[in-house]
Amino acid sequence: MKEIVSTQQNYFKKGKPKEVSYRKEQLRKLKNTLKSNEKRIFEALDADLKKPYFETYETELLISYQEIDHILTNLDRWARPQKVSGSLFNFPSQNYIYQQPYGVSLVIGAWNYPLQLTLNPALGSMAAGNCTILKPSELAPNTSSLLAELINNTFNAGYLKVIEGDAETTQEVLNQPLDYIFFTGSSRVGKIIMKSAAKQLTPVTLELGGKSPAIVDKNTDLSIAAKRIAWGKFINAGQTCVSPDYVYVHQSIEDKFCQLLQDYIAEFYGSDPQQSSDYARIINNDHFERLTNLISPQNIYHGGNTDPSDRYIEPTILTGIGWNDEVMEEEIFGPILPILTFKKLDQVIEPINNYHSPLALYIFSDSKEKQETLIQSISFGGGCINDTIAHLGNLELPFGGIGNSGFGNYHGKSSFDLFSHSKSIMKKRNWPEVPLRYPPYDGNLKWLRKLSKLL
Ligand code: NAD
């Protein structure tokens, strides 16, 4: 690890990664590498998660392609020193913000979108002019080893390097002098990462999880709400950091809503989702066991079937759920959807706010007033009105959490900003020389007060 990090430090010092033309060339090279290996990427994700090819293209590859294209279009402008207005106290002066890369970044990825969650932050790091070490999750071993092979055979190790391994490997690299750490994963490990980073005062971004609610009011297109919630919940078998963890539905429409959810599950995955090529599997046996224990038989409205030999869990809806049930204790991160009910909107605000700021929140309501009330009164990372997950698809929208769901935003320009230090520079001439600021200060205070009122 020591050698890997020092190789990158030396390469960074040589200055190549700071050249905008070099950054663009490397990003194009990465896109070409992905493009020419799509088949192998589909196969790796199929082996890790039985991820449908469509989902691999939509939620892993396309996201990376779009991010690269967006950077290539805008990088010249982002990287240029930005001129800002001057202050009268320092007249005349020219003022600029220079974007400076940090140096060597470490990107630690999660297993649920094992390609995209490792590559996308790295794209921001590369765009900003850093050298980058990627550590994909060991829980998606096929994607991890393919990423290592593709990147390590294509790029100079001083610039871009994949290291593989578990917590021990990560700890080893965290002990090196890094300049930026970007972590995606659980809040539990996020705390460990931050503690390690603190030892060397390394800046850190934590993209964590949370219990993201969907709120369904009675005045909404119920069919669209059920369809978009079923899609957002069961894509990747519920193993999505921004999937609706649970639904708060108005009591008067609960039956209709649950019926619609059930209909859409059948429409998406057929009468036996285990036979569907469009439905993913649980990542490993530990998570399979954890999730099956959350299915309380007395609450099953739909689904509940499981098959350990295939790590299959049927899309499952639980009703009659309250905050004291085990399924409401932690982020579910699987295809189990608890339904809670409310009579007045106020009843949802307090319990959600008690849950330490979820990563996402989704509101299905035709009332602009209710939409605004919920947006303004609940703390959460980001979300949608009348949809789920879709906000991640707009590169103009910063993506990140708050509180227990993490801190720091990325995607699009936010990624570039995140991996850049904004260096403020004031350029002055040698004249005029204002004597007021220099000691001795006799009588100067009076003039400073007068001047500050004028300016
Ligand atoms: P995790 O925290 O178990 O692991 C994430 C990474 O940390 C892996 O690469 C792993 O090797 C490493 N790691 C594990 N233990 C470590 C330790 N003790 N020291 C150092 N490194 C260690 O998370 P996960 O199970 O891969 O992912 C699931 C979680 O991630 C969920 O909570 C989910 O909501 C969250 N998530 C968040 C986002 C987001 O963008 N905010 C995206 C995906 C997943």
Side-chain angles (χ1 to χ4, degrees):
M1 290 307 157
K2 198 172 174 181
E3 204 183 309
I4 289 170
V5 175
S6 73
T7 305
Q8 291 222 339
Q9 283 171 330
N10 291 335
Y11 196 70
F12 180 75
K13 277 184 206 143
K14 282 188 192 147
K16 259 291 180 212
K18 287 192 198 171
E19 291 172 16
V20 173
S21 58
Y22 181 81
R23 302 183 209 177
K24 288 194 205 164
E25 183 194 311
Q26 300 302 306
L27 285 161
R28 277 191 210 101
K29 193 154 84 172
L30 183 52
K31 185 173 174 188
N32 290 339
T33 307
L34 295 174
K35 281 253 171 221
S36 47
N37 287 281
E38 279 187 355
K39 188 167 175 289
R40 293 185 67 199
I41 293 168
F42 285 135
E43 285 165 0
L45 280 138
D46 177 57
D48 284 331
L49 284 148
K50 200 173 176 292
K51 199 175 278 219
Y53 285 13
F54 179 86
E55 284 183 20
T56 295
Y57 193 80
E58 181 193 25
T59 64
E60 306 260 8
L61 285 167
L62 190 57
I63 287 193
S64 300
Y65 294 156
Q66 285 178 336
E67 187 85 41
I68 293 174
D69 292 344
H70 187 69
I71 296 169
L72 291 174
T73 307
N74 294 292
L75 189 58
D76 288 323
R77 189 166 45 86
W78 295 345
R80 219 177 279 144
Q82 183 199 343
K83 193 165 188 204
V84 295
S85 53
S87 66
L88 283 170
F89 268 116
N90 282 295
F91 182 81
S93 69
Q94 289 181 318
N95 296 266
Y96 297 89
I97 303 169
Y98 283 68
Q99 300 300 345
Q100 177 190 302
Y102 283 96
V104 176
S105 315
L106 170 67
V107 174
I108 305 168
W111 52 262
N112 57 331
Y113 290 84
L115 185 91
Q116 184 252 109
L117 290 175
T118 314
L119 279 185
N120 257 31
L123 299 178
S125 171
M126 292 162 75
N130 299 284
C131 298
T132 314
I133 298 169
L134 298 92
K135 212 299 285 176
S137 171
E138 71 281 15
L139 298 193
N142 294 284
T143 311
S144 173
S145 66
L146 182 61
L147 257 182
E149 180 200 317
L150 297 182
I151 287 183
N152 295 348
N153 287 343
T154 311
F155 290 89
N156 183 326
Y159 180 64
L160 198 63
K161 169 91 181 164
V162 174
I163 53 166
E164 286 194 273
D166 55 12
E168 214 176 302
T169 312
T170 317
Q171 282 299 336
E172 227 181 293
V173 69
L174 284 169
N175 287 333
Q176 305 305 316
L178 297 161
D179 300 300
Y180 204 95
I181 300 168
F182 186 105
F183 170 80
T184 302
S186 60
S187 305
R188 181 187 69 81
V189 179
K191 288 174 191 165
I192 299 173
I193 302 292
M194 202 163 161
K195 215 168 168 183
S196 293
K199 282 185 211 149
Q200 307 191 54
L201 289 181
T202 310
V204 56
T205 293
L206 300 180
E207 298 287 344
L208 312 176
K211 248 180 139 38
S212 303
I215 301 164
V216 183
D217 194 16
K218 59 183 170 185
N219 58 343
T220 189
D221 183 326
L222 207 55
S223 176
I224 285 287
K227 193 178 196 175
R228 293 180 180 176
I229 289 171
W231 170 75
K233 179 68 186 188
F234 300 113
I235 192 169
N236 205 30
Q239 300 162 114
T240 304
C241 56
V242 284
S243 79
D245 187 272
Y246 61 97
V247 179
Y248 249 127
V249 64
H250 193 275
Q251 201 178 38
S252 62
I253 51 165
E254 184 191 11
D255 292 344
K256 181 94 205 303
F257 176 71
C258 290
Q259 181 60 52
L260 284 162
L261 274 180
Q262 196 170 23
D263 295 347
Y264 281 116
I265 291 170
E267 193 176 313
F268 294 168
Y269 306 111
S271 56
D272 181 4
Q274 193 168 11
Q275 305 309 319
S276 167
S277 56
D278 296 332
Y279 188 61
R281 293 296 183 267
I282 305 306
I283 187 74
N284 62 19
N285 293 337
D286 288 349
H287 279 284
F288 176 83
E289 214 165 290
R290 176 183 66 78
L291 286 164
T292 48
N293 286 333
L294 295 178
I295 304 176
S296 42
Q298 70 278 15
N299 297 107
I300 296 174
Y301 175 89
H302 174 86
N305 292 312
T306 62
D307 180 353
S309 70
D310 192 18
R311 296 197 306 273
Y312 163 76
I313 298 182
E314 187 179 4
T316 297
I317 304 168
L318 302 179
T319 51
I321 294 293
W323 280 96
N324 291 330
D325 288 295
E326 200 187 339
V327 75
M328 295 306 292
E329 277 172 20
E330 303 271 335
E331 177 186 11
I332 297 169
F333 220 55
I336 303 165
L337 186 60
I339 310 289
L340 286 80
T341 59
F342 68 92
K343 280 189 194 156
K344 289 202 160 168
L345 214 51
D346 295 355
Q347 292 172 317
V348 310
I349 295 172
E350 200 189 323
I352 297 174
N353 272 336
N354 283 346
Y355 210 97
H356 313 301
S357 307
L359 183 58
L361 184 133
Y362 306 111
I363 302 162
F364 290 84
S365 172
D366 294 341
S367 158
K368 288 215 164 67
E369 197 188 321
K370 287 180 183 171
Q371 294 169 6
E372 280 307 309
T373 303
L374 291 167
I375 292 170
Q376 303 283 355
S377 53
I378 299 177
S379 171
F380 60 98
C384 304
I385 305 292
N386 299 329
D387 209 342
T388 61
I389 304 186
H391 59 302
L392 270 69
N394 181 1
L395 293 172
E396 300 297 330
L397 291 175
F399 172 64
I402 176 171
N404 247 30
S405 53
F407 54 84
N409 289 314
Y410 77 124
H411 289 187
K413 175 135 189 319
S414 302
S415 293
F416 175 86
D417 291 341
L418 190 79
F419 283 99
S420 305
H421 165 67
S422 293
K423 192 189 254 174
S424 298
I425 298 294
M426 182 182 283
K427 295 186 179 176
K428 293 191 81 168
R429 298 201 194 109
N430 294 337
W431 58 270
E433 188 63 302
V434 183
L436 183 72
R437 68 170 168 173
Y438 297 109
Y441 298 126
D442 297 343
N444 288 11
L445 182 58
K446 176 179 80 197
W447 286 106
L448 183 61
R449 283 189 198 282
K450 279 190 181 160
L451 199 60
S452 61
K453 276 184 195 140
L454 289 176
L455 298 177

